[in-house]
Amino acid sequence: MSESSTNKPPIWFWIVSAVALIWNGMGVNAYLQQAYNTESYQAMYTAEQQEIAANLPVWVTAAFAIAVFGGTLAALFLLLRKKLATKLWILSLIAVIVQMGYLLINGYASSIGMTVMIIVFAFIFVWFSRHSQSKGWIS
């Protein structure tokens, strides 16, 4: 028997992995809306919030992109059961901390609850990936 069949992940592995992909997909959508300044983006935020986002340092915007695109790739690798997912989750977590840290320190976080939730989810996804690797669900 192959290793992947003896270490078959439970159903909740697939559920968490799918949720991670959806969550990070929503982040990619938010990034693209902000980057392209779409009508739906403009409708969601006040002129002041849009001005803040437009004037963020380039490195904060880059951290946003790394966080969401790295997280989306990590979720895909998790679904493919590849251990590269763990490294990508760590990269995404670092980018989340950089981006959200800047927003929190400068008082730009429009919702403290959402900001904290993003950070918590990033930590959970790193933990989950490491846990999955230790169980042999990803290799």
Side-chain angles (χ1 to χ4, degrees):
M1 239 182 192
S2 71
E3 184 178 321
S4 62
S5 63
T6 54
N7 293 325
K8 185 177 177 185
I11 188 70
W12 59 269
F13 168 87
W14 301 107
I15 293 169
V16 172
S17 299
V19 167
L21 181 60
I22 292 166
W23 174 259
N24 282 279
M26 290 174 14
V28 167
N29 181 51
Y31 173 80
L32 292 174
Q33 284 188 23
Q34 180 179 318
Y36 289 104
N37 199 24
T38 64
E39 286 182 30
S40 60
Y41 171 77
Q42 293 173 14
M44 285 190 290
Y45 298 100
T46 66
E48 180 185 4
Q49 290 171 319
Q50 292 174 43
E51 184 68 24
I52 289 168
N55 291 310
L56 288 173
V58 172
W59 60 268
V60 175
T61 304
F64 184 14
I66 292 167
V68 297
F69 285 101
T72 301
L73 281 173
L76 288 170
F77 277 103
L78 196 60
L79 285 164
L80 293 171
R81 299 178 58 194
K82 301 296 179 187
K83 68 180 178 181
L84 179 57
T86 303
K87 291 177 182 170
L88 289 168
W89 282 126
I90 292 168
L91 175 66
S92 178
L93 171 62
I94 291 167
V96 164
I97 291 169
V98 167
Q99 177 201 11
M100 294 302 157
Y102 178 85
L103 296 177
L104 286 168
I105 288 168
N106 290 290
Y108 295 149
S110 58
S111 167
I112 298 295
M114 183 59 139
T115 302
V116 170
M117 189 166 67
I118 290 167
I119 296 167
V120 168
F121 271 132
F123 274 104
I124 288 170
F125 293 142
V126 169
W127 171 84
F128 180 73
S129 185
R130 286 182 170 169
H131 176 73
S132 297
Q133 197 169 347
S134 73
K135 293 288 189 181
W137 301 335
I138 61 175
S139 57

PDB file of all heavy atoms in Angstrom, residues 28-57:
ATOM      1  N   VAL A  28      -7.842  37.419  -2.347  1.00  0.00           N
ATOM      2  CA  VAL A  28      -7.371  37.765  -3.695  1.00  0.00           C
ATOM      3  C   VAL A  28      -8.366  38.713  -4.354  1.00  0.00           C
ATOM      4  O   VAL A  28      -7.977  39.712  -4.973  1.00  0.00           O
ATOM      5  CB  VAL A  28      -7.156  36.494  -4.555  1.00  0.00           C
ATOM      6  CG1 VAL A  28      -6.975  36.852  -6.024  1.00  0.00           C
ATOM      7  CG2 VAL A  28      -5.962  35.703  -4.056  1.00  0.00           C
ATOM      8  N   ASN A  29      -9.650  38.413  -4.213  1.00  0.00           N
ATOM      9  CA  ASN A  29     -10.680  39.282  -4.768  1.00  0.00           C
ATOM     10  C   ASN A  29     -10.575  40.691  -4.182  1.00  0.00           C
ATOM     11  O   ASN A  29     -10.627  41.684  -4.922  1.00  0.00           O
ATOM     12  CB  ASN A  29     -12.068  38.695  -4.513  1.00  0.00           C
ATOM     13  CG  ASN A  29     -13.161  39.553  -5.105  1.00  0.00           C
ATOM     14  OD1 ASN A  29     -13.122  39.918  -6.270  1.00  0.00           O
ATOM     15  ND2 ASN A  29     -14.149  39.886  -4.287  1.00  0.00           N
ATOM     16  N   ALA A  30     -10.404  40.794  -2.863  1.00  0.00           N
ATOM     17  CA  ALA A  30     -10.273  42.101  -2.214  1.00  0.00           C
ATOM     18  C   ALA A  30      -9.041  42.839  -2.729  1.00  0.00           C
ATOM     19  O   ALA A  30      -9.097  44.045  -2.997  1.00  0.00           O
ATOM     20  CB  ALA A  30     -10.200  41.931  -0.695  1.00  0.00           C
ATOM     21  N   TYR A  31      -7.931  42.118  -2.882  1.00  0.00           N
ATOM     22  CA  TYR A  31      -6.710  42.734  -3.395  1.00  0.00           C
ATOM     23  C   TYR A  31      -6.920  43.272  -4.809  1.00  0.00           C
ATOM     24  O   TYR A  31      -6.553  44.410  -5.117  1.00  0.00           O
ATOM     25  CB  TYR A  31      -5.540  41.744  -3.378  1.00  0.00           C
ATOM     26  CG  TYR A  31      -4.323  42.317  -4.052  1.00  0.00           C
ATOM     27  CD1 TYR A  31      -3.488  43.202  -3.385  1.00  0.00           C
ATOM     28  CD2 TYR A  31      -4.035  42.029  -5.383  1.00  0.00           C
ATOM     29  CE1 TYR A  31      -2.388  43.772  -4.013  1.00  0.00           C
ATOM     30  CE2 TYR A  31      -2.951  42.592  -6.023  1.00  0.00           C
ATOM     31  CZ  TYR A  31      -2.126  43.461  -5.330  1.00  0.00           C
ATOM     32  OH  TYR A  31      -1.055  44.033  -5.972  1.00  0.00           O
ATOM     33  N   LEU A  32      -7.498  42.444  -5.673  1.00  0.00           N
ATOM     34  CA  LEU A  32      -7.696  42.864  -7.062  1.00  0.00           C
ATOM     35  C   LEU A  32      -8.665  44.041  -7.164  1.00  0.00           C
ATOM     36  O   LEU A  32      -8.456  44.951  -7.974  1.00  0.00           O
ATOM     37  CB  LEU A  32      -8.176  41.681  -7.914  1.00  0.00           C
ATOM     38  CG  LEU A  32      -7.151  40.570  -8.123  1.00  0.00           C
ATOM     39  CD1 LEU A  32      -7.772  39.386  -8.849  1.00  0.00           C
ATOM     40  CD2 LEU A  32      -5.922  41.082  -8.860  1.00  0.00           C
ATOM     41  N   GLN A  33      -9.711  44.022  -6.334  1.00  0.00           N
ATOM     42  CA  GLN A  33     -10.647  45.150  -6.342  1.00  0.00           C
ATOM     43  C   GLN A  33      -9.934  46.434  -5.922  1.00  0.00           C
ATOM     44  O   GLN A  33     -10.147  47.492  -6.521  1.00  0.00           O
ATOM     45  CB  GLN A  33     -11.829  44.879  -5.414  1.00  0.00           C
ATOM     46  CG  GLN A  33     -12.821  43.909  -5.987  1.00  0.00           C
ATOM     47  CD  GLN A  33     -14.070  43.813  -5.135  1.00  0.00           C
ATOM     48  OE1 GLN A  33     -14.411  44.713  -4.375  1.00  0.00           O
ATOM     49  NE2 GLN A  33     -14.772  42.701  -5.260  1.00  0.00           N
ATOM     50  N   GLN A  34      -9.107  46.336  -4.896  1.00  0.00           N
ATOM     51  CA  GLN A  34      -8.353  47.511  -4.445  1.00  0.00           C
ATOM     52  C   GLN A  34      -7.355  47.945  -5.512  1.00  0.00           C
ATOM     53  O   GLN A  34      -7.254  49.130  -5.833  1.00  0.00           O
ATOM     54  CB  GLN A  34      -7.631  47.218  -3.142  1.00  0.00           C
ATOM     55  CG  GLN A  34      -6.821  48.399  -2.622  1.00  0.00           C
ATOM     56  CD  GLN A  34      -6.127  48.086  -1.316  1.00  0.00           C
ATOM     57  OE1 GLN A  34      -6.705  47.462  -0.437  1.00  0.00           O
ATOM     58  NE2 GLN A  34      -4.883  48.516  -1.181  1.00  0.00           N
ATOM     59  N   ALA A  35      -6.631  46.999  -6.079  1.00  0.00           N
ATOM     60  CA  ALA A  35      -5.605  47.322  -7.073  1.00  0.00           C
ATOM     61  C   ALA A  35      -6.197  47.979  -8.315  1.00  0.00           C
ATOM     62  O   ALA A  35      -5.592  48.891  -8.883  1.00  0.00           O
ATOM     63  CB  ALA A  35      -4.834  46.060  -7.455  1.00  0.00           C
ATOM     64  N   TYR A  36      -7.372  47.508  -8.732  1.00  0.00           N
ATOM     65  CA  TYR A  36      -8.002  48.054  -9.936  1.00  0.00           C
ATOM     66  C   TYR A  36      -9.064  49.106  -9.622  1.00  0.00           C
ATOM     67  O   TYR A  36      -9.715  49.609 -10.532  1.00  0.00           O
ATOM     68  CB  TYR A  36      -8.596  46.927 -10.783  1.00  0.00           C
ATOM     69  CG  TYR A  36      -7.515  46.094 -11.429  1.00  0.00           C
ATOM     70  CD1 TYR A  36      -7.201  44.836 -10.935  1.00  0.00           C
ATOM     71  CD2 TYR A  36      -6.786  46.584 -12.511  1.00  0.00           C
ATOM     72  CE1 TYR A  36      -6.193  44.076 -11.511  1.00  0.00           C
ATOM     73  CE2 TYR A  36      -5.787  45.836 -13.097  1.00  0.00           C
ATOM     74  CZ  TYR A  36      -5.490  44.583 -12.591  1.00  0.00           C
ATOM     75  OH  TYR A  36      -4.496  43.832 -13.161  1.00  0.00           O
ATOM     76  N   ASN A  37      -9.218  49.426  -8.324  1.00  0.00           N
ATOM     77  CA  ASN A  37     -10.156  50.465  -7.882  1.00  0.00           C
ATOM     78  C   ASN A  37     -11.523  50.301  -8.548  1.00  0.00           C
ATOM     79  O   ASN A  37     -12.059  51.241  -9.144  1.00  0.00           O
ATOM     80  CB  ASN A  37      -9.566  51.854  -8.154  1.00  0.00           C
ATOM     81  CG  ASN A  37     -10.247  52.929  -7.338  1.00  0.00           C
ATOM     82  OD1 ASN A  37     -10.831  52.663  -6.292  1.00  0.00           O
ATOM     83  ND2 ASN A  37     -10.174  54.160  -7.814  1.00  0.00           N
ATOM     84  N   THR A  38     -12.092  49.119  -8.423  1.00  0.00           N
ATOM     85  CA  THR A  38     -13.355  48.807  -9.085  1.00  0.00           C
ATOM     86  C   THR A  38     -14.515  49.571  -8.454  1.00  0.00           C
ATOM     87  O   THR A  38     -14.418  50.099  -7.342  1.00  0.00           O
ATOM     88  CB  THR A  38     -13.653  47.291  -8.989  1.00  0.00           C
ATOM     89  OG1 THR A  38     -13.820  46.940  -7.613  1.00  0.00           O
ATOM     90  CG2 THR A  38     -12.539  46.473  -9.626  1.00  0.00           C
ATOM     91  N   GLU A  39     -15.635  49.592  -9.164  1.00  0.00           N
ATOM     92  CA  GLU A  39     -16.833  50.267  -8.648  1.00  0.00           C
ATOM     93  C   GLU A  39     -17.306  49.619  -7.352  1.00  0.00           C
ATOM     94  O   GLU A  39     -17.722  50.322  -6.426  1.00  0.00           O
ATOM     95  CB  GLU A  39     -17.945  50.233  -9.690  1.00  0.00           C
ATOM     96  CG  GLU A  39     -17.728  51.179 -10.846  1.00  0.00           C
ATOM     97  CD  GLU A  39     -18.878  51.144 -11.838  1.00  0.00           C
ATOM     98  OE1 GLU A  39     -20.025  50.875 -11.435  1.00  0.00           O
ATOM     99  OE2 GLU A  39     -18.610  51.395 -13.029  1.00  0.00           O
ATOM    100  N   SER A  40     -17.263  48.285  -7.283  1.00  0.00           N
ATOM    101  CA  SER A  40     -17.704  47.611  -6.057  1.00  0.00           C
ATOM    102  C   SER A  40     -16.784  47.949  -4.886  1.00  0.00           C
ATOM    103  O   SER A  40     -17.237  48.094  -3.750  1.00  0.00           O
ATOM    104  CB  SER A  40     -17.808  46.096  -6.258  1.00  0.00           C
ATOM    105  OG  SER A  40     -16.569  45.555  -6.630  1.00  0.00           O
ATOM    106  N   TYR A  41     -15.490  48.107  -5.155  1.00  0.00           N
ATOM    107  CA  TYR A  41     -14.547  48.520  -4.113  1.00  0.00           C
ATOM    108  C   TYR A  41     -14.886  49.927  -3.637  1.00  0.00           C
ATOM    109  O   TYR A  41     -14.940  50.197  -2.438  1.00  0.00           O
ATOM    110  CB  TYR A  41     -13.108  48.457  -4.646  1.00  0.00           C
ATOM    111  CG  TYR A  41     -12.087  49.073  -3.728  1.00  0.00           C
ATOM    112  CD1 TYR A  41     -11.652  48.396  -2.593  1.00  0.00           C
ATOM    113  CD2 TYR A  41     -11.560  50.338  -3.978  1.00  0.00           C
ATOM    114  CE1 TYR A  41     -10.720  48.962  -1.734  1.00  0.00           C
ATOM    115  CE2 TYR A  41     -10.634  50.909  -3.138  1.00  0.00           C
ATOM    116  CZ  TYR A  41     -10.222  50.215  -2.012  1.00  0.00           C
ATOM    117  OH  TYR A  41      -9.306  50.779  -1.157  1.00  0.00           O
ATOM    118  N   GLN A  42     -15.126  50.813  -4.575  1.00  0.00           N
ATOM    119  CA  GLN A  42     -15.452  52.187  -4.226  1.00  0.00           C
ATOM    120  C   GLN A  42     -16.746  52.269  -3.418  1.00  0.00           C
ATOM    121  O   GLN A  42     -16.874  53.109  -2.528  1.00  0.00           O
ATOM    122  CB  GLN A  42     -15.557  53.049  -5.483  1.00  0.00           C
ATOM    123  CG  GLN A  42     -14.230  53.225  -6.186  1.00  0.00           C
ATOM    124  CD  GLN A  42     -14.362  53.937  -7.525  1.00  0.00           C
ATOM    125  OE1 GLN A  42     -15.387  54.530  -7.823  1.00  0.00           O
ATOM    126  NE2 GLN A  42     -13.315  53.863  -8.333  1.00  0.00           N
ATOM    127  N   ALA A  43     -17.702  51.396  -3.717  1.00  0.00           N
ATOM    128  CA  ALA A  43     -18.980  51.395  -3.006  1.00  0.00           C
ATOM    129  C   ALA A  43     -18.844  50.875  -1.575  1.00  0.00           C
ATOM    130  O   ALA A  43     -19.641  51.241  -0.708  1.00  0.00           O
ATOM    131  CB  ALA A  43     -19.993  50.555  -3.769  1.00  0.00           C
ATOM    132  N   MET A  44     -17.845  50.037  -1.332  1.00  0.00           N
ATOM    133  CA  MET A  44     -17.667  49.438   0.002  1.00  0.00           C
ATOM    134  C   MET A  44     -16.980  50.360   0.992  1.00  0.00           C
ATOM    135  O   MET A  44     -17.118  50.179   2.201  1.00  0.00           O
ATOM    136  CB  MET A  44     -16.843  48.143  -0.095  1.00  0.00           C
ATOM    137  CG  MET A  44     -17.598  46.969  -0.649  1.00  0.00           C
ATOM    138  SD  MET A  44     -16.670  45.422  -0.478  1.00  0.00           S
ATOM    139  CE  MET A  44     -15.341  45.657  -1.650  1.00  0.00           C
ATOM    140  N   TYR A  45     -16.200  51.317   0.515  1.00  0.00           N
ATOM    141  CA  TYR A  45     -15.377  52.129   1.402  1.00  0.00           C
ATOM    142  C   TYR A  45     -15.637  53.614   1.216  1.00  0.00           C
ATOM    143  O   TYR A  45     -15.983  54.068   0.127  1.00  0.00           O
ATOM    144  CB  TYR A  45     -13.883  51.821   1.167  1.00  0.00           C
ATOM    145  CG  TYR A  45     -13.543  50.387   1.462  1.00  0.00           C
ATOM    146  CD1 TYR A  45     -13.423  49.460   0.440  1.00  0.00           C
ATOM    147  CD2 TYR A  45     -13.379  49.948   2.775  1.00  0.00           C
ATOM    148  CE1 TYR A  45     -13.130  48.125   0.721  1.00  0.00           C
ATOM    149  CE2 TYR A  45     -13.092  48.633   3.050  1.00  0.00           C
ATOM    150  CZ  TYR A  45     -12.966  47.723   2.031  1.00  0.00           C
ATOM    151  OH  TYR A  45     -12.694  46.416   2.297  1.00  0.00           O
ATOM    152  N   THR A  46     -15.411  54.346   2.284  1.00  0.00           N
ATOM    153  CA  THR A  46     -15.563  55.795   2.226  1.00  0.00           C
ATOM    154  C   THR A  46     -14.416  56.386   1.414  1.00  0.00           C
ATOM    155  O   THR A  46     -13.390  55.733   1.187  1.00  0.00           O
ATOM    156  CB  THR A  46     -15.537  56.410   3.641  1.00  0.00           C
ATOM    157  OG1 THR A  46     -14.225  56.213   4.205  1.00  0.00           O
ATOM    158  CG2 THR A  46     -16.598  55.793   4.545  1.00  0.00           C
ATOM    159  N   ALA A  47     -14.584  57.639   1.010  1.00  0.00           N
ATOM    160  CA  ALA A  47     -13.526  58.322   0.265  1.00  0.00           C
ATOM    161  C   ALA A  47     -12.252  58.393   1.097  1.00  0.00           C
ATOM    162  O   ALA A  47     -11.143  58.242   0.560  1.00  0.00           O
ATOM    163  CB  ALA A  47     -13.993  59.720  -0.139  1.00  0.00           C
ATOM    164  N   GLU A  48     -12.399  58.596   2.403  1.00  0.00           N
ATOM    165  CA  GLU A  48     -11.230  58.654   3.290  1.00  0.00           C
ATOM    166  C   GLU A  48     -10.492  57.315   3.322  1.00  0.00           C
ATOM    167  O   GLU A  48      -9.263  57.267   3.231  1.00  0.00           O
ATOM    168  CB  GLU A  48     -11.656  59.044   4.702  1.00  0.00           C
ATOM    169  CG  GLU A  48     -10.506  59.131   5.677  1.00  0.00           C
ATOM    170  CD  GLU A  48     -10.962  59.408   7.109  1.00  0.00           C
ATOM    171  OE1 GLU A  48     -12.163  59.467   7.378  1.00  0.00           O
ATOM    172  OE2 GLU A  48     -10.058  59.534   7.962  1.00  0.00           O
ATOM    173  N   GLN A  49     -11.241  56.204   3.422  1.00  0.00           N
ATOM    174  CA  GLN A  49     -10.623  54.874   3.442  1.00  0.00           C
ATOM    175  C   GLN A  49      -9.939  54.572   2.104  1.00  0.00           C
ATOM    176  O   GLN A  49      -8.856  53.984   2.083  1.00  0.00           O
ATOM    177  CB  GLN A  49     -11.672  53.803   3.747  1.00  0.00           C
ATOM    178  CG  GLN A  49     -12.190  53.840   5.169  1.00  0.00           C
ATOM    179  CD  GLN A  49     -13.383  52.912   5.376  1.00  0.00           C
ATOM    180  OE1 GLN A  49     -14.269  52.834   4.527  1.00  0.00           O
ATOM    181  NE2 GLN A  49     -13.387  52.214   6.509  1.00  0.00           N
ATOM    182  N   GLN A  50     -10.554  54.989   1.015  1.00  0.00           N
ATOM    183  CA  GLN A  50      -9.952  54.786  -0.307  1.00  0.00           C
ATOM    184  C   GLN A  50      -8.666  55.592  -0.444  1.00  0.00           C
ATOM    185  O   GLN A  50      -7.686  55.115  -1.027  1.00  0.00           O
ATOM    186  CB  GLN A  50     -10.935  55.172  -1.408  1.00  0.00           C
ATOM    187  CG  GLN A  50     -12.123  54.239  -1.504  1.00  0.00           C
ATOM    188  CD  GLN A  50     -13.151  54.728  -2.513  1.00  0.00           C
ATOM    189  OE1 GLN A  50     -12.787  55.168  -3.598  1.00  0.00           O
ATOM    190  NE2 GLN A  50     -14.410  54.654  -2.150  1.00  0.00           N
ATOM    191  N   GLU A  51      -8.662  56.797   0.102  1.00  0.00           N
ATOM    192  CA  GLU A  51      -7.475  57.653   0.063  1.00  0.00           C
ATOM    193  C   GLU A  51      -6.326  57.024   0.855  1.00  0.00           C
ATOM    194  O   GLU A  51      -5.172  57.012   0.410  1.00  0.00           O
ATOM    195  CB  GLU A  51      -7.810  59.042   0.612  1.00  0.00           C
ATOM    196  CG  GLU A  51      -6.683  60.036   0.532  1.00  0.00           C
ATOM    197  CD  GLU A  51      -6.326  60.451  -0.885  1.00  0.00           C
ATOM    198  OE1 GLU A  51      -7.185  60.352  -1.794  1.00  0.00           O
ATOM    199  OE2 GLU A  51      -5.172  60.863  -1.102  1.00  0.00           O
ATOM    200  N   ILE A  52      -6.659  56.471   2.029  1.00  0.00           N
ATOM    201  CA  ILE A  52      -5.643  55.800   2.847  1.00  0.00           C
ATOM    202  C   ILE A  52      -5.038  54.632   2.073  1.00  0.00           C
ATOM    203  O   ILE A  52      -3.821  54.478   1.992  1.00  0.00           O
ATOM    204  CB  ILE A  52      -6.237  55.333   4.190  1.00  0.00           C
ATOM    205  CG1 ILE A  52      -6.532  56.539   5.089  1.00  0.00           C
ATOM    206  CG2 ILE A  52      -5.296  54.348   4.896  1.00  0.00           C
ATOM    207  CD1 ILE A  52      -7.374  56.215   6.319  1.00  0.00           C
ATOM    208  N   ALA A  53      -5.910  53.798   1.478  1.00  0.00           N
ATOM    209  CA  ALA A  53      -5.439  52.629   0.734  1.00  0.00           C
ATOM    210  C   ALA A  53      -4.584  53.040  -0.464  1.00  0.00           C
ATOM    211  O   ALA A  53      -3.568  52.403  -0.761  1.00  0.00           O
ATOM    212  CB  ALA A  53      -6.622  51.783   0.281  1.00  0.00           C
ATOM    213  N   ALA A  54      -4.976  54.108  -1.120  1.00  0.00           N
ATOM    214  CA  ALA A  54      -4.241  54.562  -2.299  1.00  0.00           C
ATOM    215  C   ALA A  54      -2.857  55.100  -1.933  1.00  0.00           C
ATOM    216  O   ALA A  54      -1.946  55.094  -2.767  1.00  0.00           O
ATOM    217  CB  ALA A  54      -5.040  55.635  -3.032  1.00  0.00           C
ATOM    218  N   ASN A  55      -2.699  55.541  -0.692  1.00  0.00           N
ATOM    219  CA  ASN A  55      -1.432  56.150  -0.274  1.00  0.00           C
ATOM    220  C   ASN A  55      -0.600  55.263   0.651  1.00  0.00           C
ATOM    221  O   ASN A  55       0.353  55.745   1.263  1.00  0.00           O
ATOM    222  CB  ASN A  55      -1.704  57.507   0.391  1.00  0.00           C
ATOM    223  CG  ASN A  55      -2.200  58.515  -0.617  1.00  0.00           C
ATOM    224  OD1 ASN A  55      -1.599  58.693  -1.664  1.00  0.00           O
ATOM    225  ND2 ASN A  55      -3.321  59.143  -0.323  1.00  0.00           N
ATOM    226  N   LEU A  56      -0.953  53.989   0.749  1.00  0.00           N
ATOM    227  CA  LEU A  56      -0.148  53.066   1.555  1.00  0.00           C
ATOM    228  C   LEU A  56       1.221  52.895   0.906  1.00  0.00           C
ATOM    229  O   LEU A  56       1.344  52.937  -0.320  1.00  0.00           O
ATOM    230  CB  LEU A  56      -0.834  51.706   1.660  1.00  0.00           C
ATOM    231  CG  LEU A  56      -2.075  51.621   2.533  1.00  0.00           C
ATOM    232  CD1 LEU A  56      -2.732  50.249   2.390  1.00  0.00           C
ATOM    233  CD2 LEU A  56      -1.752  51.913   3.987  1.00  0.00           C
ATOM    234  N   PRO A  57       2.244  52.683   1.720  1.00  0.00           N
ATOM    235  CA  PRO A  57       3.562  52.389   1.139  1.00  0.00           C
ATOM    236  C   PRO A  57       3.495  51.149   0.238  1.00  0.00           C
ATOM    237  O   PRO A  57       2.707  50.231   0.496  1.00  0.00           O
ATOM    238  CB  PRO A  57       4.439  52.126   2.357  1.00  0.00           C
ATOM    239  CG  PRO A  57       3.739  52.764   3.508  1.00  0.00           C
ATOM    240  CD  PRO A  57       2.279  52.698   3.190  1.00  0.00           C
TER     241      PRO A  57
END
